[in-house]
Amino acid sequence: MTSQKNAQQQETRVAAIAVSTSATASLSGSRDVDRHPETPSPQQRLFENFAEACLRFTPRIALRSPHAGIFLDLAGCRWKQEQQPQLSARIRSLARRFFGPQQQQPPIRIGFGPDPFSAWAAATLTNTGSSGGDGKSFPIEALSLLENPFAEPTPDRLRRLETLILVPLRALGITTFDQYQKLSAGEVASRFGKEGLLLHQRARLSELSFQRWPRFTPPEKILEERDVSDPESGLGLIGLEPLLFQMRPICDRFFARLHAQGMRLSALRLELVFPTMDATASRQWRISLAVPQGSTHGLLPLLATRLATDLDRAPLPAPIEAVRLEAIERVPGRGAQRGLLNPDELENNDAWDALLGRLREKLSEKPHLVDPNLADG
């Protein structure tokens, strides 16, 4: 009975994704001109958009402020502990859409554990991304995560913890979290007082799930934008082919967020931004799709045809500096979370969706193939 209870406690229930804030700053790729103080920064938008795309893995996620990490609740998923490498690979593949496909390794670290504390400590304090057999085999610095794994400690709090607790513990030869757990409450109270005793009580809990998960609300709009001008020369794009090449990663992120909500695109707004003599101007298109699209492979040829026709009639007066893509109308699609962690079912669904996307691309111009129940804008 006891072994069964311990096995349940050690079961992996949470995945934590630590995101490099410096990487989000350099890879945001969004214009940040004349931004209102209350408007999220490009780095914050990029982080929240990636978090929204992670809803494909589980309907319950939480963020670690300030935009430094994401927690995935895997307790209700059809998922086995031996499938951690598969889940990690899918998370990294998704991260490449948001943080740059040119990078071999996206700027994230992934950890697993039975609770948010263990998962975050595994992601940030270990090299394996696993919490170990007992879930608590971490460096002593993990004590800074006990109070609230969903928020970054303030610098004053970290300095106080380092001075009052961590330095004396290292002097005593205690360098790991499990060594601190094995101390008696009397020893901790006499050496570290009330503050150390409170941390010790939390550290000895059988399951560190006492924190309430903060609620994550996805952005109201599905809007993706990117600065497409050359970072060195500052020159914008000229011609349709370079534009389509730069739009592919935008569409990839766009559809990743739609897929996470189980939606398909029915109508969109495309905006191209270019400079003028006095300021910047833009040209917009509202495009309704006869058949809702769910992939970049199906949407880009439609955009290429529309833009080629319109830009031949009325060319842009200046090179393109930025591209914005916004979903105006959406229709329900295949549920993103159904059987997600069942590899066979997932691969079959992906193959089926890819086949349908190619068929829609080739045959959507024929009226009898349009489903009358789907909104056409």
Side-chain angles (χ1 to χ4, degrees), residues 186-249:
E187 291 175 323
V188 174
S190 62
R191 289 181 178 272
F192 307 106
K194 179 180 178 180
E195 191 168 359
L197 183 60
L198 178 60
L199 288 176
H200 187 258
Q201 291 174 345
R202 290 181 173 180
R204 298 191 69 176
L205 289 176
S206 59
E207 183 179 346
L208 294 172
S209 58
F210 47 83
Q211 294 94 351
R212 176 179 296 179
W213 282 52
R215 182 177 180 180
F216 170 69
T217 303
E220 182 178 356
K221 295 181 179 180
I222 295 186
L223 170 66
E224 288 291 337
E225 56 184 331
R226 182 181 179 89
D227 188 348
V228 297
S229 58
D230 187 270
E232 297 182 358
S233 64
L235 299 178
L237 295 179
I238 300 177
L240 182 60
E241 289 298 327
L243 174 62
L244 294 176
F245 179 80
Q246 291 289 342
M247 287 183 62
R248 179 171 293 276

Short mmCIF file of all heavy atoms in Angstrom, two decimals, residues 186-249:
data_model
loop_
_atom_site.label_atom_id
_atom_site.label_comp_id
_atom_site.label_asym_id
_atom_site.label_seq_id
_atom_site.Cartn_x
_atom_site.Cartn_y
_atom_site.Cartn_z
N GLY A 186 13.90 20.77 14.80
CA GLY A 186 14.59 21.47 15.88
C GLY A 186 15.91 22.07 15.43
O GLY A 186 16.25 23.22 15.80
N GLU A 187 16.67 21.33 14.62
CA GLU A 187 17.94 21.85 14.12
C GLU A 187 17.73 23.06 13.23
O GLU A 187 18.47 24.05 13.32
CB GLU A 187 18.68 20.75 13.34
CG GLU A 187 19.19 19.61 14.20
CD GLU A 187 19.79 18.49 13.37
OE1 GLU A 187 19.26 18.21 12.27
OE2 GLU A 187 20.79 17.92 13.82
N VAL A 188 16.74 22.99 12.38
CA VAL A 188 16.48 24.11 11.47
C VAL A 188 16.01 25.34 12.23
O VAL A 188 16.46 26.46 11.98
CB VAL A 188 15.44 23.69 10.41
CG1 VAL A 188 15.04 24.89 9.55
CG2 VAL A 188 15.98 22.57 9.54
N ALA A 189 15.12 25.15 13.21
CA ALA A 189 14.60 26.28 13.97
C ALA A 189 15.69 26.97 14.77
O ALA A 189 15.73 28.21 14.87
CB ALA A 189 13.47 25.81 14.88
N SER A 190 16.60 26.18 15.35
CA SER A 190 17.65 26.78 16.17
C SER A 190 18.68 27.54 15.34
O SER A 190 19.27 28.52 15.82
CB SER A 190 18.35 25.69 16.99
OG SER A 190 18.97 24.74 16.13
N ARG A 191 18.93 27.12 14.12
CA ARG A 191 19.96 27.75 13.31
C ARG A 191 19.40 28.83 12.38
O ARG A 191 20.08 29.84 12.12
CB ARG A 191 20.68 26.70 12.46
CG ARG A 191 21.58 25.77 13.26
CD ARG A 191 22.27 24.78 12.35
NE ARG A 191 23.18 23.92 13.07
CZ ARG A 191 24.46 24.20 13.31
NH1 ARG A 191 24.96 25.33 12.86
NH2 ARG A 191 25.22 23.35 13.98
N PHE A 192 18.18 28.64 11.86
CA PHE A 192 17.68 29.53 10.81
C PHE A 192 16.39 30.25 11.18
O PHE A 192 15.87 31.02 10.38
CB PHE A 192 17.47 28.75 9.51
CG PHE A 192 18.70 27.98 9.07
CD1 PHE A 192 18.73 26.60 9.20
CD2 PHE A 192 19.80 28.63 8.57
CE1 PHE A 192 19.84 25.89 8.81
CE2 PHE A 192 20.92 27.93 8.17
CZ PHE A 192 20.95 26.54 8.30
N GLY A 193 15.86 29.97 12.36
CA GLY A 193 14.70 30.70 12.84
C GLY A 193 13.41 30.33 12.12
O GLY A 193 13.29 29.29 11.46
N LYS A 194 12.45 31.24 12.22
CA LYS A 194 11.11 31.01 11.69
C LYS A 194 11.12 30.86 10.17
O LYS A 194 10.42 30.01 9.60
CB LYS A 194 10.19 32.15 12.10
CG LYS A 194 8.77 32.03 11.59
CD LYS A 194 7.93 33.21 12.05
CE LYS A 194 6.51 33.11 11.50
NZ LYS A 194 5.68 34.27 11.94
N GLU A 195 11.92 31.68 9.50
CA GLU A 195 11.94 31.65 8.04
C GLU A 195 12.48 30.32 7.53
O GLU A 195 11.91 29.72 6.61
CB GLU A 195 12.81 32.80 7.53
CG GLU A 195 12.69 33.04 6.05
CD GLU A 195 13.33 34.34 5.63
OE1 GLU A 195 13.85 35.06 6.51
OE2 GLU A 195 13.33 34.63 4.42
N GLY A 196 13.57 29.84 8.14
CA GLY A 196 14.12 28.56 7.72
C GLY A 196 13.19 27.40 8.05
O GLY A 196 13.11 26.43 7.30
N LEU A 197 12.47 27.50 9.19
CA LEU A 197 11.55 26.44 9.59
C LEU A 197 10.38 26.34 8.61
O LEU A 197 9.93 25.23 8.28
CB LEU A 197 11.04 26.69 11.00
CG LEU A 197 10.10 25.62 11.58
CD1 LEU A 197 10.81 24.27 11.63
CD2 LEU A 197 9.62 26.04 12.98
N LEU A 198 9.89 27.48 8.13
CA LEU A 198 8.78 27.47 7.17
C LEU A 198 9.21 26.80 5.86
O LEU A 198 8.48 25.99 5.30
CB LEU A 198 8.30 28.90 6.90
CG LEU A 198 7.17 29.06 5.88
CD1 LEU A 198 5.93 28.30 6.33
CD2 LEU A 198 6.85 30.53 5.66
N LEU A 199 10.41 27.13 5.39
CA LEU A 199 10.91 26.48 4.18
C LEU A 199 11.10 24.98 4.41
O LEU A 199 10.82 24.17 3.52
CB LEU A 199 12.23 27.11 3.75
CG LEU A 199 12.17 28.52 3.16
CD1 LEU A 199 13.57 29.04 2.87
CD2 LEU A 199 11.33 28.54 1.89
N HIS A 200 11.55 24.61 5.60
CA HIS A 200 11.76 23.20 5.90
C HIS A 200 10.45 22.43 5.91
O HIS A 200 10.36 21.29 5.43
CB HIS A 200 12.47 23.07 7.25
CG HIS A 200 12.89 21.68 7.58
ND1 HIS A 200 12.18 20.88 8.46
CD2 HIS A 200 13.92 20.92 7.14
CE1 HIS A 200 12.77 19.70 8.56
NE2 HIS A 200 13.83 19.69 7.77
N GLN A 201 9.40 23.04 6.45
CA GLN A 201 8.10 22.38 6.47
C GLN A 201 7.57 22.18 5.06
O GLN A 201 7.00 21.12 4.74
CB GLN A 201 7.12 23.21 7.29
CG GLN A 201 7.42 23.23 8.79
CD GLN A 201 6.53 24.18 9.54
OE1 GLN A 201 5.85 25.03 8.96
NE2 GLN A 201 6.51 24.06 10.86
N ARG A 202 7.74 23.18 4.22
CA ARG A 202 7.29 23.03 2.83
C ARG A 202 8.13 21.99 2.09
O ARG A 202 7.61 21.22 1.26
CB ARG A 202 7.38 24.37 2.11
CG ARG A 202 6.36 25.39 2.59
CD ARG A 202 6.48 26.69 1.82
NE ARG A 202 5.42 27.61 2.17
CZ ARG A 202 5.26 28.83 1.66
NH1 ARG A 202 6.13 29.26 0.77
NH2 ARG A 202 4.27 29.60 2.03
N ALA A 203 9.43 21.95 2.36
CA ALA A 203 10.30 21.01 1.68
C ALA A 203 9.98 19.57 2.03
O ALA A 203 10.20 18.66 1.23
CB ALA A 203 11.76 21.31 2.02
N ARG A 204 9.42 19.33 3.22
CA ARG A 204 9.16 17.96 3.65
C ARG A 204 7.75 17.49 3.29
O ARG A 204 7.37 16.37 3.63
CB ARG A 204 9.35 17.85 5.17
CG ARG A 204 10.77 18.17 5.61
CD ARG A 204 11.02 17.80 7.04
NE ARG A 204 11.02 16.35 7.23
CZ ARG A 204 11.29 15.74 8.39
NH1 ARG A 204 11.58 16.48 9.46
NH2 ARG A 204 11.27 14.43 8.49
N LEU A 205 6.98 18.33 2.63
CA LEU A 205 5.65 17.90 2.19
C LEU A 205 5.81 16.78 1.16
O LEU A 205 6.71 16.79 0.32
CB LEU A 205 4.88 19.06 1.58
CG LEU A 205 4.38 20.14 2.56
CD1 LEU A 205 3.72 21.26 1.78
CD2 LEU A 205 3.40 19.56 3.55
N SER A 206 4.91 15.81 1.24
CA SER A 206 5.01 14.67 0.32
C SER A 206 4.74 15.08 -1.11
O SER A 206 5.24 14.47 -2.05
CB SER A 206 4.01 13.57 0.74
OG SER A 206 2.68 14.09 0.71
N GLU A 207 3.93 16.12 -1.32
CA GLU A 207 3.63 16.57 -2.67
C GLU A 207 3.52 18.08 -2.65
O GLU A 207 2.67 18.65 -1.95
CB GLU A 207 2.32 15.97 -3.17
CG GLU A 207 1.99 16.34 -4.61
CD GLU A 207 0.70 15.71 -5.08
OE1 GLU A 207 0.20 14.80 -4.41
OE2 GLU A 207 0.19 16.16 -6.12
N LEU A 208 4.40 18.76 -3.37
CA LEU A 208 4.47 20.22 -3.34
C LEU A 208 3.46 20.80 -4.33
O LEU A 208 3.83 21.39 -5.34
CB LEU A 208 5.89 20.68 -3.67
CG LEU A 208 6.94 20.28 -2.63
CD1 LEU A 208 8.33 20.59 -3.14
CD2 LEU A 208 6.69 20.99 -1.31
N SER A 209 2.19 20.62 -4.05
CA SER A 209 1.14 21.13 -4.93
C SER A 209 0.20 22.07 -4.19
O SER A 209 -0.96 22.20 -4.53
CB SER A 209 0.34 19.97 -5.53
OG SER A 209 -0.22 19.18 -4.49
N PHE A 210 0.75 22.74 -3.14
CA PHE A 210 -0.11 23.58 -2.33
C PHE A 210 -0.38 24.93 -3.00
O PHE A 210 -1.29 25.65 -2.60
CB PHE A 210 0.52 23.81 -0.94
CG PHE A 210 1.97 24.20 -1.00
CD1 PHE A 210 2.35 25.50 -1.22
CD2 PHE A 210 2.95 23.23 -0.84
CE1 PHE A 210 3.67 25.86 -1.27
CE2 PHE A 210 4.28 23.58 -0.88
CZ PHE A 210 4.65 24.90 -1.10
N GLN A 211 0.43 25.32 -4.00
CA GLN A 211 0.20 26.60 -4.65
C GLN A 211 -0.97 26.49 -5.63
O GLN A 211 -1.12 25.49 -6.34
CB GLN A 211 1.45 27.07 -5.41
CG GLN A 211 2.63 27.39 -4.52
CD GLN A 211 3.55 26.20 -4.36
OE1 GLN A 211 3.22 25.10 -4.77
NE2 GLN A 211 4.71 26.42 -3.74
N ARG A 212 -1.75 27.52 -5.67
CA ARG A 212 -2.85 27.58 -6.64
C ARG A 212 -2.31 28.00 -8.00
O ARG A 212 -1.54 28.95 -8.11
CB ARG A 212 -3.91 28.58 -6.17
CG ARG A 212 -5.05 28.79 -7.16
CD ARG A 212 -6.07 29.77 -6.64
NE ARG A 212 -6.73 29.26 -5.45
CZ ARG A 212 -7.66 29.94 -4.79
NH1 ARG A 212 -8.03 31.16 -5.22
NH2 ARG A 212 -8.22 29.44 -3.71
N TRP A 213 -2.71 27.29 -9.02
CA TRP A 213 -2.25 27.61 -10.36
C TRP A 213 -2.87 28.93 -10.82
O TRP A 213 -4.10 29.08 -10.80
CB TRP A 213 -2.63 26.51 -11.34
CG TRP A 213 -1.76 25.30 -11.28
CD1 TRP A 213 -1.45 24.58 -10.17
CD2 TRP A 213 -1.09 24.67 -12.37
NE1 TRP A 213 -0.62 23.54 -10.50
CE2 TRP A 213 -0.39 23.56 -11.85
CE3 TRP A 213 -1.02 24.93 -13.73
CZ2 TRP A 213 0.38 22.73 -12.64
CZ3 TRP A 213 -0.27 24.08 -14.53
CH2 TRP A 213 0.42 23.01 -13.99
N PRO A 214 -2.07 29.91 -11.22
CA PRO A 214 -2.66 31.14 -11.77
C PRO A 214 -3.34 30.86 -13.10
O PRO A 214 -2.91 29.99 -13.87
CB PRO A 214 -1.45 32.07 -11.95
CG PRO A 214 -0.28 31.16 -12.02
CD PRO A 214 -0.60 29.96 -11.19
N ARG A 215 -4.39 31.58 -13.35
CA ARG A 215 -5.16 31.36 -14.57
C ARG A 215 -4.50 32.03 -15.76
O ARG A 215 -4.04 33.17 -15.68
CB ARG A 215 -6.58 31.90 -14.41
CG ARG A 215 -7.48 31.67 -15.61
CD ARG A 215 -8.89 32.17 -15.35
NE ARG A 215 -9.77 31.96 -16.49
CZ ARG A 215 -11.03 32.31 -16.54
NH1 ARG A 215 -11.58 32.89 -15.48
NH2 ARG A 215 -11.76 32.08 -17.62
N PHE A 216 -4.44 31.31 -16.85
CA PHE A 216 -3.90 31.86 -18.10
C PHE A 216 -5.05 32.14 -19.06
O PHE A 216 -5.84 31.25 -19.38
CB PHE A 216 -2.91 30.89 -18.74
CG PHE A 216 -2.51 31.29 -20.14
CD1 PHE A 216 -1.73 32.41 -20.36
CD2 PHE A 216 -2.93 30.54 -21.24
CE1 PHE A 216 -1.36 32.78 -21.64
CE2 PHE A 216 -2.57 30.91 -22.53
CZ PHE A 216 -1.78 32.03 -22.72
N THR A 217 -5.13 33.38 -19.51
CA THR A 217 -6.13 33.79 -20.48
C THR A 217 -5.44 34.08 -21.80
O THR A 217 -4.61 35.00 -21.87
CB THR A 217 -6.91 35.03 -20.01
OG1 THR A 217 -7.51 34.75 -18.74
CG2 THR A 217 -7.98 35.41 -21.01
N PRO A 218 -5.72 33.32 -22.85
CA PRO A 218 -5.06 33.58 -24.14
C PRO A 218 -5.39 34.97 -24.67
O PRO A 218 -6.42 35.56 -24.31
CB PRO A 218 -5.62 32.49 -25.06
CG PRO A 218 -6.18 31.44 -24.14
CD PRO A 218 -6.63 32.16 -22.91
N PRO A 219 -4.52 35.54 -25.49
CA PRO A 219 -4.84 36.84 -26.10
C PRO A 219 -6.16 36.79 -26.84
O PRO A 219 -6.53 35.78 -27.44
CB PRO A 219 -3.65 37.07 -27.05
CG PRO A 219 -2.54 36.25 -26.49
CD PRO A 219 -3.20 35.05 -25.87
N GLU A 220 -6.88 37.90 -26.79
CA GLU A 220 -8.21 37.94 -27.40
C GLU A 220 -8.13 37.77 -28.92
O GLU A 220 -8.96 37.10 -29.53
CB GLU A 220 -8.88 39.26 -27.05
CG GLU A 220 -10.29 39.40 -27.60
CD GLU A 220 -10.95 40.70 -27.20
OE1 GLU A 220 -10.34 41.46 -26.42
OE2 GLU A 220 -12.07 40.97 -27.67
N LYS A 221 -7.13 38.38 -29.53
CA LYS A 221 -6.98 38.31 -30.98
C LYS A 221 -5.85 37.37 -31.35
O LYS A 221 -4.85 37.28 -30.64
CB LYS A 221 -6.69 39.70 -31.56
CG LYS A 221 -7.81 40.70 -31.41
CD LYS A 221 -7.42 42.02 -32.05
CE LYS A 221 -8.54 43.04 -31.94
NZ LYS A 221 -8.16 44.34 -32.57
N ILE A 222 -6.02 36.68 -32.44
CA ILE A 222 -4.91 35.92 -33.01
C ILE A 222 -4.28 36.81 -34.07
O ILE A 222 -4.76 36.91 -35.20
CB ILE A 222 -5.39 34.58 -33.59
CG1 ILE A 222 -5.91 33.69 -32.47
CG2 ILE A 222 -4.28 33.88 -34.35
CD1 ILE A 222 -6.28 32.29 -32.90
N LEU A 223 -3.24 37.49 -33.67
CA LEU A 223 -2.56 38.47 -34.51
C LEU A 223 -1.07 38.18 -34.48
O LEU A 223 -0.47 38.10 -33.41
CB LEU A 223 -2.84 39.90 -34.00
CG LEU A 223 -2.02 41.02 -34.63
CD1 LEU A 223 -2.38 41.18 -36.10
CD2 LEU A 223 -2.24 42.33 -33.89
N GLU A 224 -0.48 38.03 -35.64
CA GLU A 224 0.95 37.81 -35.77
C GLU A 224 1.53 38.91 -36.64
O GLU A 224 0.96 39.25 -37.68
CB GLU A 224 1.26 36.44 -36.37
CG GLU A 224 0.99 35.27 -35.45
CD GLU A 224 1.95 35.20 -34.28
OE1 GLU A 224 3.07 35.76 -34.40
OE2 GLU A 224 1.60 34.60 -33.25
N GLU A 225 2.65 39.47 -36.21
CA GLU A 225 3.31 40.52 -36.98
C GLU A 225 4.81 40.29 -36.95
O GLU A 225 5.34 39.68 -36.02
CB GLU A 225 2.96 41.90 -36.43
CG GLU A 225 3.27 42.10 -34.97
CD GLU A 225 2.81 43.45 -34.49
OE1 GLU A 225 2.79 44.39 -35.30
OE2 GLU A 225 2.49 43.59 -33.30
N ARG A 226 5.48 40.82 -37.95
CA ARG A 226 6.93 40.62 -38.06
C ARG A 226 7.55 41.76 -38.84
O ARG A 226 7.03 42.20 -39.86
CB ARG A 226 7.21 39.29 -38.77
CG ARG A 226 8.69 38.95 -38.89
CD ARG A 226 8.87 37.64 -39.63
NE ARG A 226 10.27 37.29 -39.79
CZ ARG A 226 10.97 36.58 -38.91
NH1 ARG A 226 10.38 36.15 -37.81
NH2 ARG A 226 12.23 36.29 -39.12
N ASP A 227 8.68 42.23 -38.33
CA ASP A 227 9.48 43.23 -39.04
C ASP A 227 10.32 42.48 -40.06
O ASP A 227 11.17 41.65 -39.71
CB ASP A 227 10.37 43.98 -38.05
CG ASP A 227 11.09 45.15 -38.70
OD1 ASP A 227 11.07 45.24 -39.94
OD2 ASP A 227 11.66 45.97 -37.98
N VAL A 228 10.09 42.75 -41.34
CA VAL A 228 10.76 42.00 -42.41
C VAL A 228 11.88 42.80 -43.06
O VAL A 228 12.48 42.34 -44.04
CB VAL A 228 9.74 41.57 -43.48
CG1 VAL A 228 8.72 40.61 -42.89
CG2 VAL A 228 9.03 42.79 -44.09
N SER A 229 12.21 43.98 -42.55
CA SER A 229 13.30 44.75 -43.13
C SER A 229 14.63 44.15 -42.73
O SER A 229 14.75 43.46 -41.70
CB SER A 229 13.21 46.21 -42.67
OG SER A 229 13.25 46.29 -41.25
N ASP A 230 15.65 44.41 -43.51
CA ASP A 230 16.98 43.87 -43.23
C ASP A 230 17.54 44.50 -41.96
O ASP A 230 17.57 45.74 -41.84
CB ASP A 230 17.91 44.16 -44.41
CG ASP A 230 19.25 43.48 -44.24
OD1 ASP A 230 20.16 44.09 -43.65
OD2 ASP A 230 19.37 42.32 -44.69
N PRO A 231 17.99 43.70 -40.97
CA PRO A 231 18.46 44.28 -39.70
C PRO A 231 19.72 45.12 -39.84
O PRO A 231 19.97 46.01 -39.01
CB PRO A 231 18.71 43.05 -38.82
CG PRO A 231 18.89 41.91 -39.77
CD PRO A 231 18.04 42.23 -40.96
N GLU A 232 20.54 44.86 -40.87
CA GLU A 232 21.78 45.62 -41.03
C GLU A 232 21.59 46.88 -41.86
O GLU A 232 21.96 47.97 -41.45
CB GLU A 232 22.84 44.72 -41.67
CG GLU A 232 23.22 43.51 -40.82
CD GLU A 232 24.29 42.67 -41.47
OE1 GLU A 232 24.72 43.02 -42.60
OE2 GLU A 232 24.71 41.67 -40.85
N SER A 233 20.99 46.72 -43.03
CA SER A 233 20.81 47.89 -43.90
C SER A 233 19.53 48.66 -43.62
O SER A 233 19.43 49.84 -43.97
CB SER A 233 20.82 47.43 -45.36
OG SER A 233 19.71 46.57 -45.62
N GLY A 234 18.54 48.00 -43.01
CA GLY A 234 17.26 48.65 -42.76
C GLY A 234 16.36 48.72 -43.97
O GLY A 234 15.28 49.33 -43.91
N LEU A 235 16.75 48.11 -45.07
CA LEU A 235 15.94 48.16 -46.29
C LEU A 235 14.82 47.13 -46.21
O LEU A 235 14.98 46.04 -45.66
CB LEU A 235 16.81 47.87 -47.51
CG LEU A 235 17.96 48.86 -47.76
CD1 LEU A 235 18.77 48.43 -48.97
CD2 LEU A 235 17.42 50.28 -47.95
N GLY A 236 13.67 47.48 -46.79
CA GLY A 236 12.52 46.60 -46.78
C GLY A 236 12.54 45.61 -47.94
O GLY A 236 13.50 45.54 -48.73
N LEU A 237 11.47 44.85 -48.05
CA LEU A 237 11.35 43.82 -49.07
C LEU A 237 10.79 44.41 -50.35
O LEU A 237 9.90 45.26 -50.34
CB LEU A 237 10.43 42.69 -48.59
CG LEU A 237 10.90 41.86 -47.40
CD1 LEU A 237 9.85 40.82 -47.06
CD2 LEU A 237 12.23 41.19 -47.71
N ILE A 238 11.31 43.90 -51.47
CA ILE A 238 10.81 44.28 -52.79
C ILE A 238 10.51 43.00 -53.55
O ILE A 238 11.38 42.14 -53.70
CB ILE A 238 11.83 45.14 -53.56
CG1 ILE A 238 12.14 46.43 -52.79
CG2 ILE A 238 11.29 45.47 -54.95
CD1 ILE A 238 13.19 47.29 -53.47
N GLY A 239 9.28 42.85 -54.01
CA GLY A 239 8.92 41.67 -54.78
C GLY A 239 8.08 40.69 -53.98
O GLY A 239 8.10 40.66 -52.74
N LEU A 240 7.34 39.86 -54.72
CA LEU A 240 6.41 38.93 -54.09
C LEU A 240 7.11 37.72 -53.49
O LEU A 240 6.74 37.27 -52.40
CB LEU A 240 5.37 38.47 -55.12
CG LEU A 240 4.28 37.54 -54.61
CD1 LEU A 240 3.47 38.20 -53.50
CD2 LEU A 240 3.35 37.14 -55.77
N GLU A 241 8.12 37.19 -54.15
CA GLU A 241 8.79 35.98 -53.65
C GLU A 241 9.46 36.20 -52.31
O GLU A 241 9.30 35.39 -51.39
CB GLU A 241 9.80 35.48 -54.69
CG GLU A 241 9.18 34.87 -55.93
CD GLU A 241 8.34 33.65 -55.59
OE1 GLU A 241 8.70 32.92 -54.64
OE2 GLU A 241 7.32 33.42 -56.26
N PRO A 242 10.24 37.27 -52.12
CA PRO A 242 10.81 37.51 -50.77
C PRO A 242 9.73 37.70 -49.71
O PRO A 242 9.90 37.28 -48.56
CB PRO A 242 11.65 38.78 -50.96
CG PRO A 242 11.95 38.83 -52.40
CD PRO A 242 10.76 38.24 -53.09
N LEU A 243 8.62 38.33 -50.10
CA LEU A 243 7.53 38.54 -49.14
C LEU A 243 6.94 37.21 -48.69
O LEU A 243 6.73 36.97 -47.50
CB LEU A 243 6.46 39.42 -49.77
CG LEU A 243 5.18 39.61 -48.94
CD1 LEU A 243 5.48 40.29 -47.62
CD2 LEU A 243 4.15 40.41 -49.73
N LEU A 244 6.68 36.32 -49.64
CA LEU A 244 6.11 35.01 -49.29
C LEU A 244 7.09 34.20 -48.44
O LEU A 244 6.68 33.46 -47.55
CB LEU A 244 5.75 34.24 -50.56
CG LEU A 244 4.62 34.85 -51.40
CD1 LEU A 244 4.42 34.03 -52.67
CD2 LEU A 244 3.32 34.91 -50.60
N PHE A 245 8.38 34.33 -48.71
CA PHE A 245 9.37 33.62 -47.91
C PHE A 245 9.34 34.10 -46.46
O PHE A 245 9.44 33.29 -45.52
CB PHE A 245 10.76 33.84 -48.52
CG PHE A 245 11.86 33.17 -47.75
CD1 PHE A 245 12.10 31.81 -47.90
CD2 PHE A 245 12.66 33.90 -46.87
CE1 PHE A 245 13.12 31.19 -47.18
CE2 PHE A 245 13.67 33.28 -46.15
CZ PHE A 245 13.90 31.93 -46.31
N GLN A 246 9.18 35.40 -46.24
CA GLN A 246 9.12 35.94 -44.89
C GLN A 246 7.78 35.66 -44.22
O GLN A 246 7.69 35.63 -42.99
CB GLN A 246 9.36 37.45 -44.92
CG GLN A 246 10.76 37.87 -45.29
CD GLN A 246 11.76 37.56 -44.20
OE1 GLN A 246 11.39 37.33 -43.05
NE2 GLN A 246 13.04 37.54 -44.56
N MET A 247 6.74 35.45 -45.01
CA MET A 247 5.42 35.19 -44.43
C MET A 247 5.26 33.76 -43.94
O MET A 247 4.37 33.48 -43.13
CB MET A 247 4.33 35.50 -45.45
CG MET A 247 4.11 36.97 -45.70
SD MET A 247 2.75 37.27 -46.85
CE MET A 247 1.38 36.56 -45.94
N ARG A 248 6.08 32.83 -44.41
CA ARG A 248 5.93 31.43 -44.00
C ARG A 248 6.07 31.25 -42.49
O ARG A 248 5.21 30.61 -41.86
CB ARG A 248 6.93 30.55 -44.75
CG ARG A 248 6.86 29.08 -44.37
CD ARG A 248 7.70 28.23 -45.28
NE ARG A 248 7.16 28.21 -46.63
CZ ARG A 248 6.20 27.39 -47.03
NH1 ARG A 248 5.67 26.52 -46.16
NH2 ARG A 248 5.75 27.41 -48.25
N PRO A 249 7.13 31.77 -41.83
CA PRO A 249 7.18 31.61 -40.36
C PRO A 249 6.04 32.32 -39.64
O PRO A 249 5.59 31.87 -38.59
CB PRO A 249 8.55 32.19 -39.98
CG PRO A 249 8.94 33.05 -41.12
CD PRO A 249 8.35 32.43 -42.33
#
